[in-house]
Amino acid sequence: MDFAPTEEQAAAQGLAARIFGDLSTPERLAAAGTGTDAGLWKELCAAGLTAAVEETGLLGLVLLLEEQGRTTAQVPFAASCVYGLLAVAGHGGDEQRERLLPPLRDGTAVATGAFPARGGIRADDGGRLSGSVPYVPWLRDADLVLVPDRERRLWIVRTGDAGVLTEPVETTAPWSAARLVLDGASGERLGGAGAYAAVLAAGRTAFAGLQAGVCAGSLARAVAHTNTREQFGRPLSTKQGVLLRAADAHMDTEAIRVTAYEAAWRHDAGLPYGPQALTAAWWASEAGKRVVHAGQHLHGGTGADLDHPVHRHFLWGRQLDAYLGCGSEVLQELGESLVKEGTE
């Protein structure tokens, strides 16, 4: 295994780091409220970072999402790439790719997904969808929604079509979410029997990469704070308890990162990676919440300030903890998959 980024992946990551660092500032995040930073999204698309994902692969996307997570940038980057670009490129027919990919590449169309499947959507023989999903991240921004039905078939739904209703909801993290209600809405099939599992695994890997960035950003803020904050004439970072807590958070962050890298690398190499995606998702859930709690705790009383930048990392970390399955859920799924694999 070689997780070293290619020249193209490293260049894209460096560009993403610069754009996110320059534009996803605490002031801009405060101004955006719970919505998307439209200006930042425009800059990312103009720089070609959305289109680059097709070339740099899932590992390239994980690297880009790490940079987004470091600044908790409020853009639908992960959702549009996973449920739009990669899903259509990997599972769409020739006509679908020719029609849907260009606007997804340049960001004039945004995609999201009603994942994971919870059995709330029914599809009739004519491809009409009915049912509801309590919340879909970035749905307020989306033009296309990838919807799995009860049989886990994938359907592309346009948010502007008849029979599609979106009702804004607020989630733990400010992800421009909304409730999706379908009442006989027209759906367009995407992929075959294995498409749902493939998109879900890619999503778990990508969002684990996002969690690695969120945790790295939280830890970086904690390190900066404890290096400058003094107690009894000494920086907090010299206290053994602080050092141990930060070291544990660092190891947890690295575990999230390396498991996400492994799953993404195997995906790009054409190797089976279902168990690896579940492993990355488990670390993102279990270790991720430990890290963002530690980041907030190491800020002391400052960490209790809801307007402090570290609190955004806390909110994102807790949202990602439960998104696409919490730790116990993915651990059970991983165990079942390993038993099935051993039996076969």
Side-chain angles (χ1 to χ4, degrees):
M1 292 181 289
D2 182 8
F3 301 154
T6 64
E7 184 177 341
E8 292 78 9
Q9 289 170 338
Q13 184 181 23
L15 179 57
R18 181 176 62 80
I19 293 175
F20 284 126
D22 289 346
L23 297 183
S24 185
T25 62
E27 294 77 18
R28 287 181 66 117
L29 288 170
T34 61
T36 294
D37 186 334
L40 174 56
W41 177 243
K42 184 177 180 180
E43 287 291 331
L44 290 168
C45 297
L49 288 176
T50 46
V53 170
E54 287 183 88
E55 301 297 327
T56 59
L58 186 55
L59 181 55
L61 176 59
V62 165
L63 294 172
L64 297 180
L65 292 176
E66 271 194 82
E67 301 306 325
Q68 179 186 358
R70 290 180 200 275
T71 61
T72 60
Q74 290 176 201
V75 288
F77 196 48
S80 198
C81 288
V82 169
Y83 303 125
L85 271 171
L86 294 183
V88 174
H91 305 285
D94 292 340
E95 188 277 332
Q96 287 178 314
R97 290 195 294 268
E98 183 178 351
R99 171 169 48 89
L100 297 174
L101 287 178
L104 289 169
R105 290 181 185 126
D106 63 23
T108 54
V110 172
T112 189
F115 277 66
R118 300 293 189 190
I121 301 297
R122 306 177 303 277
D124 64 19
D125 294 337
R128 296 286 176 176
L129 307 179
S130 299
S132 65
V133 180
Y135 89 96
V136 178
W138 308 110
L139 183 56
R140 293 183 230 166
D141 302 322
D143 305 282
L144 306 172
V145 190
L146 192 60
V147 180
D149 65 17
R150 288 179 175 176
E151 284 71 42
R152 298 191 172 183
R153 297 171 296 184
L154 292 183
W155 304 85
I156 298 172
V157 174
R158 296 186 177 274
T159 56
D161 284 356
V164 181
L165 177 65
T166 61
E167 303 170 346
V169 297
E170 298 301 335
T171 54
T172 301
W175 283 6
S176 295
R179 180 170 181 255
L180 177 66
V181 180
L182 303 177
D183 184 11
S186 178
E188 175 183 352
R189 275 296 304 275
L190 182 75
Y196 169 79
V199 173
L200 179 59
R204 282 171 165 161
T205 304
F207 282 95
L210 184 61
Q211 180 75 303
V214 169
C215 291
S218 175
L219 184 57
R221 292 187 182 279
V223 168
H225 175 79
T226 56
N227 276 332
T228 56
R229 181 77 170 179
E230 292 190 358
Q231 186 180 66
F232 306 118
R234 297 171 56 195
L236 287 173
S237 59
T238 63
K239 311 293 184 181
Q240 187 178 41
V242 171
L243 289 170
L244 292 173
R245 190 77 186 274
D248 286 342
H250 171 73
M251 295 304 296
D252 273 338
T253 301
E254 289 303 300
I256 300 169
R257 177 182 288 117
V258 74
T259 52
Y261 283 7
E262 181 185 9
W265 178 84
R266 290 182 66 89
H267 170 276
D268 293 344
L271 299 171
Y273 75 108
Q276 287 77 17
L278 286 166
T279 301
W282 183 84
W283 276 104
S285 175
E286 293 295 312
K289 62 187 173 188
R290 288 197 297 265
V291 174
V292 295
H293 274 270
Q296 190 154 342
H297 188 201
L298 288 173
H299 279 75
T302 305
D305 183 357
L306 301 185
D307 295 323
H308 193 282
V310 77
H311 188 65
R312 293 183 181 275
H313 291 272
F314 175 77
L315 295 178
W316 279 63
R318 291 314 308 257
Q319 185 76 48
L320 287 163
D321 159 33
Y323 183 54
L324 298 181
C326 65
S328 59
E329 288 179 299
V330 296
L331 188 61
Q332 179 179 352
E333 191 175 337
L334 175 60
E336 291 172 350
S337 71
L338 293 176
V339 169
K340 181 179 179 181
E341 182 180 327
T343 303
E344 292 175 348

